[in-house]
Amino acid sequence: MATRTPIVGGNWKMHLDRAGARDLLRELRGQLDGLAGVEVVIFPPAAWLGDAADALEGSTLRVGAQNAYWLPHGAYTGEVGAAMLVGTADYVLVGHSERRHVFGESDEDTARKLDAVLGLALQPILAVGEQQEEREGGRTAEVLRRQLDAAFADIDRLPEGFTIAYEPVWAIGTGLTATPEIAQATVAEIRRMVADRFGAASAEACRIQYGGSVNAGNVADLASQPDIDGALVGGASLDAEAFATICRAVAAAAE
Ligand code: PEP
């Protein structure tokens, strides 16, 4: 039986004004501080990262950035360097499908970001996932292997507690959750790919979340799958009750 601590991320994307963000942070702290058996990470928009760090300081909830640029500083208007997040964020999401498919970030960009985050006092969550036509065309494994190979190109050893988010693009924000069977089979396949590259022990220690239309009603079946170590949650993370229910369900599934 794996001893991986599951992890739930709440990806707020580009939602909430400052007052709304502060209210939600207060509610989440009230509901989730001290919850055992799961690591909870809140990913607010970059503008509210400082507020999140202040609001969650001294709690068990962690702060994550949704994105970061790989260079530490320079003439890169609009970017936030990963190094600038140290001391404010604990985690950085790398390779989210909206970065890849809305903003055109390549596998190589994702690798540069991953390398930058790993070189700092920050933990990455590496997101991978296939598009609908890739799944329908039987190319899911090929796409995932390409994304992982590119991201890991310069990495010899997987750091302890490393987290991958498997997020089928067709399930993100669509209400089309992968069935627990599809999610489990694909996450198990990702774990085999990690084993091929870094060895069985690293693969067994690697946390792999599922993301894609997770909500309070479907999380228990997903989280109880043997290879799934929590969830990355978009829409449902904006509702304190729903997100707290998800976190508790993930903790309960790991007991
Ligand atoms: C996400 O933003 O990573 C995500 C999975 O979104 P949603 O839960 O809304 O599908």
Side-chain angles (χ1 to χ4, degrees):
M1 184 62 196
T3 53
R4 301 180 295 265
T5 301
I7 174 166
V8 178
N11 175 15
W12 293 3
K13 311 196 188 201
M14 202 176 78
H15 292 295
L16 297 180
D17 61 15
R18 191 175 188 195
R22 285 170 157 174
D23 285 348
L24 183 53
L25 289 161
R26 198 175 323 106
E27 283 185 66
L28 291 171
R29 182 175 183 143
Q31 298 235 21
L32 291 169
D33 185 22
L35 180 64
V38 61
E39 192 173 3
V40 178
V41 190
I42 308 300
F43 292 87
W48 319 139
L49 274 170
D51 287 315
D54 290 345
L56 302 180
E57 192 177 2
S59 77
T60 57
L61 282 74
R62 305 268 76 92
V63 176
Q66 298 173 17
N67 183 36
Y69 194 55
W70 56 85
L71 292 174
H73 47 74
Y76 303 106
T77 302
E79 291 293 329
V80 177
M84 293 169 168
L85 297 169
V86 175
T88 301
D90 308 289
Y91 278 85
V92 181
L93 202 44
V94 175
H96 188 277
S97 77
E98 285 148 22
R99 300 304 318 171
R100 293 176 187 267
H101 301 300
V102 179
F103 295 99
E105 291 184 6
S106 66
D107 289 336
E108 291 70 30
D109 294 336
T110 300
R112 288 187 194 102
K113 292 182 178 200
L114 185 62
D115 291 344
V117 170
L118 285 173
L120 296 159
L122 294 166
Q123 306 239 56
I125 294 183
L126 171 65
V128 296
E130 81 287 1
Q131 299 186 77
Q132 185 155 20
E133 58 274 23
E134 293 166 337
R135 176 159 287 270
E136 285 168 2
R139 293 192 289 123
T140 298
E142 176 199 320
V143 169
L144 295 173
R145 191 173 283 280
R146 190 203 73 226
Q147 291 175 340
L148 291 171
D149 281 350
F152 293 146
D154 295 325
I155 297 171
D156 302 326
R157 200 184 59 81
L158 208 57
E160 211 172 307
F162 190 88
T163 305
I164 295 172
Y166 167 57
E167 298 208 297
V169 180
W170 46 271
I172 298 179
T174 59
L176 288 175
T177 321
T179 62
E181 293 72 26
I182 288 179
Q184 161 59 27
T186 315
V187 167
E189 184 139 35
I190 291 172
R191 200 176 296 289
R192 283 192 291 277
M193 293 176 190
V194 174
D196 287 347
R197 189 166 189 105
F198 297 109
S202 291
E204 187 58 23
C206 179
R207 300 190 288 188
I208 309 180
Q209 306 170 291
Y210 167 78
S213 298
V214 172
N215 59 41
N218 61 25
V219 65
D221 284 344
L222 290 158
S224 62
Q225 301 301 314
D227 278 283
I228 297 180
D229 306 312
L232 185 54
V233 185
S237 72
L238 296 168
D239 179 317
E241 281 298 332
F243 189 67
T245 302
I246 290 168
C247 294
R248 290 192 198 103
V250 168
E255 273 175 7

